[in-house]
Amino acid sequence: MRKLLAQHASDDVLYKSFDTLLQKITPKLKNEESGSDENELPFGDDSQESSLLDRFFVPARPKFLIKPGVSEKVLYALKHNVLLDFYYNSRWEPQERHRRIMPFQIVIDEGALYLYGAKKSPNPNPRLFKLSKMHNVELLSSETFNLPKNFRFHEDFEKGRFGAFQYDEWYEFKIEFYGEARRHVRDFVWADDQTIEENQKEEKTTLTFTSSQWIPIVHWVLSFGKNAKPIAPDWFLEEVENGKLKDEN
C-alpha cells in the first residue's frame, strides 16, 4: 500500500497524512528463527521489513498540483459541515465560475483528489470538483448544513469501472476487439454486468456492458486504434469516429 500510494506522491497535506499513517501501521517482520507458528505472518524485524519493501516497485505518476491551504480547508469543511466558497476552472466552461457548495465527500481517482458536493438549494445537483482546479477557497464557518442521506458519490454513480465520472443516463455499449486488444479485454472486468463473446472464425472478441460513463469509454476505445470497433449505441459510433478524425488531424 505504501508503494501504491507513493506513485501519486505530492506535497499536499492529504498525501503526507496518508503516508504517515501507513508508516505507523506497517507491520514489522519477525526473525524467522523465533519459533513462531508456521501459519503466522513473520512480523517484528525492521531489517527484514526494509528488505521486503525493496522487493516492490510502482512507477511514479504525474503529480497533481493543489494550491496551499485548499486541502486543509476542504477537510475542515467536511468535518464541520460548513459551506465552501471558491472559484473553479471547469473543462466544460471557457471561464472560471464562482461556487458555493456543501462538501459531501473526497473522491480519489487515479491520484487526483475530487470534492463531491452540491449547492445549498431545493435542487442541489451534486457534482465533482477537482481540488487542483479550485482557488480562492474560503470557509463559511457561520453557514452550516445537515448532511443528506444520499451524500455518498458511489450510491448514485459508481456502478461503472471507468473512474470518477457521473452522468444521468445509462446505455448498453457493444464493442468488437481485434488483434492484441482481444487478450487485454479478457484480462479485466470492465463492468459488473459485462458479457464477452468469442468468434474465433472472424478472430474477434465482443464486449457488451451497461454504463453511463461514456466520455472515458470513448477515450478507452480510441486507445486501441484499429483494434476496437464500436457497434452500439449509434451515437457512440459517431463520438468515436469524431475522436479518430481529431487524432488524424
Side-chain angles (χ1 to χ4, degrees), residues 1-240:
M1 289 299 297
R2 286 170 61 184
K3 291 289 185 177
L4 287 171
L5 180 64
Q7 73 174 322
H8 301 297
S10 74
D11 296 326
D12 186 69
V13 66
L14 281 176
Y15 166 78
K16 291 181 177 179
S17 299
F18 291 149
D19 186 55
T20 300
L21 173 62
L22 287 177
Q23 288 187 47
K24 289 182 178 179
I25 66 176
T26 299
K28 306 290 185 182
L29 292 173
K30 277 186 183 178
N31 191 314
E32 293 180 359
E33 299 177 357
S34 62
S36 60
D37 188 299
E38 62 178 3
N39 293 319
E40 292 182 4
L41 291 173
F43 301 122
D45 187 340
D46 288 350
S47 63
Q48 290 191 33
E49 175 202 7
S50 203
S51 175
L52 182 62
L53 285 175
D54 286 340
R55 307 300 289 272
F56 291 82
F57 174 73
V58 181
R61 302 290 298 274
K63 297 180 181 180
F64 287 91
L65 299 178
I66 301 176
K67 292 179 174 57
V70 171
S71 294
E72 292 90 333
K73 291 177 181 179
V74 169
L75 287 173
Y76 182 94
L78 287 170
K79 183 177 180 180
H80 298 281
N81 288 342
V82 299
L83 267 61
L84 275 174
D85 188 279
F86 58 93
Y87 285 85
Y88 191 73
N89 293 310
S90 171
R91 62 178 294 187
W92 310 112
E93 298 166 348
Q95 297 180 341
E96 67 179 15
R97 292 184 59 184
H98 175 249
R99 307 285 185 177
R100 179 170 293 185
I101 68 165
M102 302 179 291
F104 294 161
Q105 274 187 315
I106 289 287
V107 177
I108 305 172
D109 182 35
E110 295 188 350
L113 298 173
Y114 297 85
L115 174 63
Y116 183 56
K119 297 180 294 183
K120 191 176 182 180
S121 68
N123 298 308
N125 188 27
R127 56 166 294 181
L128 289 168
F129 301 90
K130 187 178 286 188
L131 266 65
S132 60
K133 294 185 177 182
M134 296 169 56
H135 64 97
N136 291 351
V137 180
E138 298 294 340
L139 289 163
L140 304 180
S141 301
S142 61
E143 297 191 40
T144 60
F145 64 94
N146 294 320
L147 197 63
K149 292 182 179 180
N150 62 337
F151 73 92
R152 299 174 182 85
F153 174 81
H154 62 274
E155 290 180 348
D156 288 327
F157 298 109
E158 196 194 334
K159 295 179 182 178
R161 295 180 178 268
F162 290 88
F165 292 87
Q166 56 184 101
Y167 304 102
D168 296 329
E169 297 186 46
W170 294 75
Y171 306 94
E172 183 175 272
F173 293 91
K174 188 174 184 179
I175 308 162
E176 292 179 351
F177 295 90
Y178 302 86
E180 297 178 356
R182 297 180 65 190
R183 180 180 298 179
H184 179 76
V185 168
R186 292 194 297 261
D187 285 345
F188 297 90
V189 176
W190 304 99
D192 294 337
D193 66 344
Q194 75 177 32
T195 60
I196 293 181
E197 299 177 27
E198 298 289 352
N199 188 325
Q200 301 301 345
K201 184 178 180 180
E202 298 183 15
E203 297 184 339
K204 70 179 180 182
T205 299
T206 303
L207 175 67
T208 305
F209 61 93
T210 305
S211 177
S212 67
Q213 301 172 309
W214 66 272
I215 289 181
I217 295 173
V218 169
H219 296 164
W220 177 63
V221 171
L222 287 171
S223 70
F224 293 102
K226 64 180 181 180
N227 285 330
K229 178 182 178 182
I231 303 300
D234 292 339
W235 60 264
F236 180 60
L237 278 68
E238 296 180 9
E239 290 291 338
V240 173

